[in-house]
Amino acid sequence: MFRLWKFLFLAFLSISVLTACGKTFDEQAAEAILSAKEAFQLHDQHVNDEVHGVSLYKPAGFTIEEKSDAQNIVMKKGDETFLLFINPNEDKNSRLFYDLLTRTEDDKRVEEVFTDDGYFGFASIVKKGEDQVELVASVGGIKMTTITKNKNIEVNMGKMMEIVRSIEQGS
């Protein structure tokens, strides 16, 4: 009897793991966009770090590289690199980065635009290969990008939006 329960438990566990890994790109992208939207709308991350006069929220596990400056901040999380671009000449409702992104057509891109209290933001996911995607999270004149594995899309997109949303911009 114990062997039967053991077999059923292992079979259930295997099916659960395979089901979680079996999400399509579109399903993962939709969850990542939702995560970015929630981070954009909640705007509840408090500033906990400063780089060359720029105050921002730095999630746990992220480090800021020494080669960063006030307009280009390089962050690392494990072996992944995140590039944060800050254009101080753009306001919180700037569409500059979005307009630049949409100039090129890419049928493997999933994106969504967000607005809230005068802020304009967007999240974009572009499939770059079998297991890699480019993520872009932007609010006004601030944009963060990375190349990541498919399995990290949702978590990274949410963290990226939390970071860009935490930086104060002119009106």
Side-chain angles (χ1 to χ4, degrees):
M1 186 68 158
F2 177 72
R3 286 185 185 184
L4 176 64
W5 284 107
K6 186 176 173 183
F7 172 76
L8 290 174
F9 175 73
L10 289 175
F12 175 74
L13 184 64
S14 298
I15 291 170
S16 298
V17 169
L18 290 174
T19 302
C21 295
K23 292 181 182 177
T24 67
F25 169 73
D26 290 332
E27 291 170 334
Q28 290 175 326
E31 290 176 3
I33 294 290
L34 182 61
S35 178
K37 183 177 185 176
E38 289 172 356
F40 179 84
Q41 291 174 337
L42 287 177
H43 181 51
D44 65 349
Q45 295 303 335
H46 300 287
V47 170
N48 64 1
D49 209 337
E50 185 175 319
V51 181
H52 297 282
V54 176
S55 298
L56 56 89
Y57 168 70
K58 183 183 77 172
F62 280 71
T63 59
I64 297 174
E65 297 290 298
E66 288 184 26
K67 56 187 168 188
S68 300
D69 60 44
Q71 280 82 37
N72 300 296
I73 299 172
V74 180
M75 300 177 100
K76 300 275 280 181
K77 183 181 91 175
D79 62 347
E80 295 181 303
T81 302
F82 298 79
L83 304 174
L84 179 62
F85 304 100
I86 301 172
N87 185 338
N89 300 318
E90 297 296 321
D91 293 328
K92 64 184 183 179
N93 62 353
S94 172
R95 297 176 59 95
L96 174 70
F97 291 129
Y98 183 71
D99 292 341
L100 290 172
L101 177 78
T102 56
R103 282 186 183 172
T104 60
E105 289 191 29
D106 194 333
D107 58 345
K108 295 180 183 178
R109 181 173 56 221
V110 178
E111 66 186 48
E112 188 165 330
V113 171
F114 317 114
T115 57
D116 182 44
D117 195 29
Y119 283 86
F120 174 84
F122 71 91
S124 173
I125 304 164
V126 180
K127 193 165 177 71
K128 290 290 186 184
E130 202 54 38
D131 190 39
Q132 286 193 325
V133 293
E134 177 184 17
L135 303 179
V136 179
S138 179
V139 176
I142 301 168
K143 174 179 83 166
M144 188 170 214
T145 65
T146 191
I147 302 285
T148 190
K149 295 182 189 262
N150 286 347
K151 66 181 181 177
N152 300 330
I153 294 174
E154 183 181 356
V155 171
N156 284 346
M157 181 61 83
K159 294 296 181 195
M160 290 167 59
M161 186 58 79
E162 290 175 356
I163 294 168
V164 297
R165 188 71 161 104
S166 72
I167 301 170
E168 285 296 318
Q169 300 179 67
S171 52

